[in-house]
Amino acid sequence: MTGFGPHNPHPLSRMKTELVWEGKYDEFGNRREMNVSNLALPLQKIETIDEPRSRAEEQGSLFDATKAHRDDFRNRLIWGDNKLVIASLLEEFRGRLDLIYIDPPFDVGADFTLAVPIGEGKETVEKEQSVLEMVAYRDTWGRGKDSYVQMLYERISLARDLLSERGALYIHIGPAVNHVVRSMADEIFGGGCFQNEIIWKRTYAHSDASKFGVVHDCILYYGKTPSPLFVTQYRPHDESYIKSHYGQVDANGRRFRLVTLSAAGSGPARRFGDRVIEPPPGRHWAWGQERINDGLKSGKIVYASTGQPNIKQYLDEVKGTVIQTIWDDIPPVNPVGKELVGYATQKPEKLLERIIAASCPENGIVADFFCGSGTAGAVAEQLGRRWIMCDLGRFSIHTTRKRLIGLQRDLHEAGKPYRSFDLYNLGRYERQWWQKDSLNGADDQHRAIVLKFFKAEPLHSAPSPLLHARKGAAFVHVDGIDSIFTRPEVKEVAQAVAAAGGREVYILAWDFEMDIRQVTAAVEAETGVKLRLSRIPREIMEKNRAEVPPFFEVAVLEASPVVRKEGKERKVDIKLSNFLPSLSEVPSKELEVLQERAVESGFDFIDFWAIDFDWKPNRPFNHHWQDFRTRKERTLKTVSDAGHVYSKPGKYVACVKVVDVFGCDTSITVEVEV
């Protein structure tokens, strides 16, 4: 047998250093590649939000869009799986983003239960992580760091293509996963694109008897290329530094210090007035002759006791201390501060200010694909940058929407420009992708999965094609994967149940037509069939699902128009008359008590509501008016004060959107005649 050596290298001697995780390679040892074209889905615009403009138009006051708006770019807030969202943005934004900041979940044992306030007092109720978020989080950590790295690898690989040539990516993670994430990101970007590992001291103390307390997070900074845009950041000198380094004060009261005029390297002598002075050995004069002459005239150059020229450096001419890689000057969010929105993983605005100011030019585009409470977008808006954000959680999207509407108001009232934003989702296209990817395109497979999680018994010889299963004594109807359950279908299903001798039916659908609740009562009275409308939880699309997601009944919302005559005008407002939330994300231990509370005072569960006074089908909801609770201001109007005036008499349709304290929204339409 031939021995190994220079002429017969051992196979291991040629292997490169590589981070390998489960899922990186397929069963045949081939690198798994993503087909982006299969992931790209059209984004659906469902809301358009320009609160100051809408309010001005409702009040009949002038609104100069050219002065109020920075430009025509509309920021984007997107609800959906960020892998699909990133892939869907590539067609329009490939190579256009200046900065991407991501703060993915990095604590395998994290508790995402939130205490959300209800009503006008200080009462709170626990909100669980949605089942969709729980399943996604379990998938992220199902195989420990392997699945976590695979999740990030897919998203960062796609996101890199969105960056401009001088763009940057900041990955905010914990020290427990720092080493594997950095190795993975090095592979995607190439080691030459790694810029810094930043240590952010996020808290002052952390008690742990078994080891040193962990008080920091890590932020990995990469450029699309080895030379990304970077603007040096400074922080003010502290008082002790000023006293020790700027101890001299001139006749005008300006603090200064003396710094050497020479720098390392060789160079010629220079004339200082009537003297020619050689630089110290191994050094040269940092200023040229012309600048030296100016410095002598202005008094900027003074002589030390040794006769060597120095520069008088004034404190007020210095920007501060250059920021290095350890950030210990940014505290966590103040628990009583204005920026607090009550989101568990909220990051301080100062942290994002530093990152955005360093790596995104004016009017550049900032993206955050794990946006949480929307800090990146809020700071980008304040700094005049454009933004794109997305998140999987409904509560995150709702929190961010409220925060950005409030910021629009604040900027406008301060006379500062802002940008409008739109809310998007992937809607039925996300379900179509799931159907094609996981169900081989078969709707009967979709129905079987829904019934499995609903724990219903399929009917093999159904009395009607509209009846698919039984649950106890009730029938079950499962709507199609690419359908909206409509009002005519309510009657058809009820009649099919009555013909089969049934008295109750569960109707499971992905979406229901607006006003569906208003017709069910009439159909129940006509047919004698109890109709239970439940949304199919989006969670069932997640891979490796094991827990049964809850099928909550559609919330009940009722409203009516209020029309008053003022002179020749007829002004219209909307009055909320009833709301019964679905309680879809309430911990089971609190469900019974909160159900009673919701029946008694459903309005306490409303966190936000808005009106589109001139709603049209197949058009995004336009926020003409809205009211919402904040952590400090808990009151909520139940009658709008818009005083909307229609351009001419006739019949119109207003759309009312209510979002409960858990982030779940319900919409109905209201007919208005003026």
Side-chain angles (χ1 to χ4, degrees):
M1 179 178 179
T2 305
F4 295 111
H7 302 292
N8 185 28
H10 190 282
L12 291 176
S13 71
R14 295 182 173 181
M15 292 184 69
K16 297 180 179 180
T17 302
E18 178 185 3
L19 178 69
V20 179
W21 60 87
E22 185 181 347
K24 185 175 183 179
Y25 293 94
D26 64 18
E27 295 81 358
F28 303 100
N30 299 315
R31 184 64 179 271
R32 294 184 189 273
E33 300 292 341
M34 285 182 294
N35 185 344
V36 177
S37 62
N38 288 342
L39 300 177
L41 306 172
L43 297 171
Q44 292 180 290
K45 186 192 295 186
I46 57 175
E47 295 181 27
T48 177
I49 303 170
D50 186 350
E51 198 279 341
R53 181 173 193 163
S54 298
R55 179 158 41 95
E57 290 174 350
E58 290 303 314
Q59 295 171 349
S61 55
L62 296 176
F63 183 89
D64 189 340
T66 58
K67 290 184 178 180
H69 293 158
R70 293 185 183 276
D71 50 41
D72 293 333
F73 183 89
R74 300 184 68 89
N75 296 317
R76 302 188 184 195
L77 177 60
I78 307 166
W79 180 40
D81 183 319
N82 53 15
K83 183 168 75 171
L84 301 180
V85 170
I86 296 169
S88 301
L89 290 170
L90 281 169
E91 181 178 357
E92 182 178 355
F93 290 97
R94 185 186 297 271
R96 292 184 57 194
L97 302 191
D98 299 284
L99 169 64
I100 298 174
Y101 166 85
I102 59 172
D103 180 17
F106 49 78
D107 183 358
V108 66
D111 179 8
F112 288 101
T113 302
L114 296 175
V116 295
I118 60 172
E120 297 185 3
K122 296 182 178 180
E123 184 180 359
T124 62
V125 59
E126 281 193 350
K127 172 204 174 300
E128 288 188 324
Q129 190 180 24
S130 73
V131 179
L132 175 61
E133 293 168 294
M134 279 190 251
V135 173
Y137 192 74
R138 189 197 61 232
D139 288 349
T140 297
W141 287 103
R143 300 187 305 276
K145 289 187 176 71
D146 288 293
S147 50
Y148 181 74
V149 172
Q150 179 65 24
M151 180 275 291
L152 278 184
Y153 178 81
E154 293 174 344
R155 285 150 179 81
I156 293 174
S157 296
L158 291 170
R160 181 186 179 279
D161 291 337
L162 289 170
L163 288 173
S164 65
E165 286 304 298
R166 299 205 67 195
L169 168 70
Y170 286 75
I171 310 169
H172 190 139
I173 51 175
V177 295
N178 176 30
H179 57 298
V180 291
V181 174
R182 179 169 172 180
S183 297
M184 175 269 296
D186 281 347
E187 185 173 320
I188 295 172
F189 283 87
C193 292
F194 173 74
Q195 304 297 317
N196 289 118
E197 176 187 355
I198 298 161
I199 302 299
W200 172 49
K201 185 178 178 183
R202 58 176 170 79
T203 185
Y204 298 109
H206 188 278
S207 179
D208 192 328
S210 63
K211 58 184 179 181
F212 295 111
V214 178
V215 296
H216 75 281
D217 286 350
C218 306
I219 303 174
L220 303 177
Y221 164 32
Y222 285 85
K224 172 73 172 290
T225 61
S227 301
L229 171 73
F230 182 76
V231 179
T232 302
Q233 299 298 297
Y234 301 86
R235 64 181 175 190
H237 295 307
D238 57 42
E239 286 300 319
S240 61
Y241 181 88
I242 292 172
K243 289 179 180 178
S244 62
H245 287 73
Y246 290 89
Q248 302 182 66
V249 181
D250 70 7
N252 296 317
R254 297 175 70 192
R255 283 186 173 271
F256 70 92
R257 67 173 180 171
L258 299 181
V259 296
T260 181
L261 184 54
S262 66
S266 61
R270 299 290 185 189
R271 178 172 290 279
F272 290 81
D274 57 359
R275 292 190 295 164
V276 175
I277 304 178
E278 293 281 348
R283 300 181 71 82
H284 71 282
W285 298 121
W287 289 6
Q289 188 63 59
E290 184 176 348
R291 192 174 180 190
I292 288 173
N293 296 340
D294 291 340
L296 290 168
K297 289 179 182 177
S298 65
K300 189 80 171 175
I301 294 177
V302 296
Y303 298 100
S305 58
T306 60
Q308 288 292 311
N310 285 330
I311 303 170
K312 187 184 286 187
Q313 185 182 76
Y314 285 98
L315 176 63
D316 56 23
E317 294 177 344
V318 178
K319 293 182 178 179
T321 302
V322 175
I323 300 295
Q324 308 296 319
T325 56
I326 296 182
W327 297 0
D328 58 1
D329 60 325
I330 300 177
V333 179
N334 188 330
V336 294
K338 182 181 179 181
E339 69 181 87
L340 182 72
V341 296
Y343 199 86
T345 58
Q346 182 180 354
K347 299 300 183 291
E349 291 186 358
K350 289 291 184 184
L351 183 71
L352 273 298
E353 282 179 18
R354 181 168 294 171
I355 292 172
I356 292 172
S359 294
C360 184
E362 291 187 18
N363 295 315
I365 305 178
V366 177
D368 183 351
F369 299 121
F370 297 83
C371 76
S373 61
T375 302
V379 174
E381 185 69 62
Q382 293 174 70
L383 296 179
R385 274 67 167 179
R386 297 172 285 175
W387 56 263
I388 299 171
M389 294 190 290
C390 82
D391 204 282
L392 187 65
R394 281 188 299 254
F395 188 72
S396 166
I397 295 299
H398 171 54
T399 301
T400 300
R401 172 174 50 195
K402 276 206 314 180
R403 185 175 187 176
L404 269 299
I405 289 174
L407 183 56
Q408 282 187 347
R409 292 178 176 179
D410 291 345
L411 289 173
H412 184 64
E413 288 173 8
K416 298 178 180 178
Y418 66 95
R419 289 186 175 92
S420 307
F421 71 97
D422 297 319
L423 179 59
Y424 290 79
N425 69 12
L426 295 171
R428 60 192 179 126
Y429 299 107
E430 189 174 19
R431 301 200 297 271
Q432 289 172 343
W433 174 82
W434 172 64
Q435 182 181 22
K436 181 179 179 181
D437 182 68
S438 303
L439 306 180
N440 301 317
D443 199 56
D444 57 343
Q445 285 186 265
H446 154 253
R447 186 176 296 122
I449 290 176
V450 173
L451 293 175
K452 169 190 168 186
F453 282 102
F454 192 61
K455 294 186 175 181
E457 186 67 30
L459 293 173
H460 300 294
S461 55
S464 166
L466 294 175
L467 306 179
H468 304 123
R470 273 191 178 275
K471 185 166 186 174
F475 283 103
V476 180
H477 168 83
V478 182
D479 204 29
I481 192 171
D482 193 25
S483 303
I484 294 177
F485 192 77
T486 62
R487 291 194 277 184
E489 290 177 284
V490 172
K491 191 168 186 178
E492 292 175 8
V493 172
Q495 289 174 337
V497 172
R503 311 305 302 167
E504 185 177 9
V505 61
Y506 292 96
I507 298 173
L508 312 179
W510 289 97
D511 285 303
F512 291 92
E513 186 179 14
M514 288 186 184
D515 305 332
I516 199 88
R517 275 289 191 185
Q518 297 179 4
V519 301
T520 52
V523 172
E524 285 176 335
E526 179 184 342
T527 61
V529 175
K530 176 66 177 177
L531 302 168
R532 297 187 177 275
L533 311 181
S534 294
R535 278 195 170 88
I536 298 171
R538 191 163 166 260
E539 292 82 351
I540 72 168
M541 293 188 288
E542 297 298 315
K543 293 180 179 179
N544 303 321
R545 53 196 173 272
E547 297 92 352
V548 176
F551 287 69
F552 284 95
E553 291 197 42
V554 175
V556 175
L557 174 61
E558 297 173 0
S560 58
V562 177
V563 184
R564 64 183 186 278
K565 191 172 183 180
E566 292 186 9
K568 295 182 178 180
E569 292 183 331
R570 294 174 68 85
K571 295 189 174 182
V572 177
D573 278 295
I574 299 295
K575 177 182 180 180
L576 298 179
S577 52
N578 186 29
F579 179 67
L580 185 65
S582 68
L583 302 179
S584 62
E585 292 175 16
V586 172
S588 56
K589 62 184 179 181
E590 299 186 30
L591 187 57
E592 185 176 344
V593 172
L594 287 176
Q595 283 176 326
E596 295 178 4
R597 170 73 181 273
V599 171
E600 293 175 2
S601 184
F603 287 171
D604 284 350
F605 291 83
I606 298 177
D607 192 57
F608 174 103
W609 69 292
I611 306 168
D612 181 342
F613 281 98
D614 194 16
W615 180 81
K616 298 287 192 306
N618 302 315
R619 192 184 71 178
F621 181 96
N622 191 359
H623 283 246
H624 288 136
W625 180 93
Q626 74 274 115
D627 189 34
F628 53 85
R629 305 184 199 268
T630 67
R631 294 189 70 82
K632 292 184 177 180
E633 179 52 63
R634 300 301 305 158
T635 60
L636 185 82
K637 300 180 179 70
T638 56
V639 182
S640 69
D641 55 5
H644 183 81
V645 177
Y646 290 98
S647 58
K648 58 183 179 181
K651 292 184 178 181
Y652 297 87
V653 175
C655 182
V656 180
K657 180 188 291 288
V658 165
V659 184
D660 66 27
V661 295
F662 310 108
C664 303
D665 63 275
T666 306
S667 299
I668 62 168
T669 57
V670 176
E671 290 187 0
V672 179
E673 186 171 0
V674 292

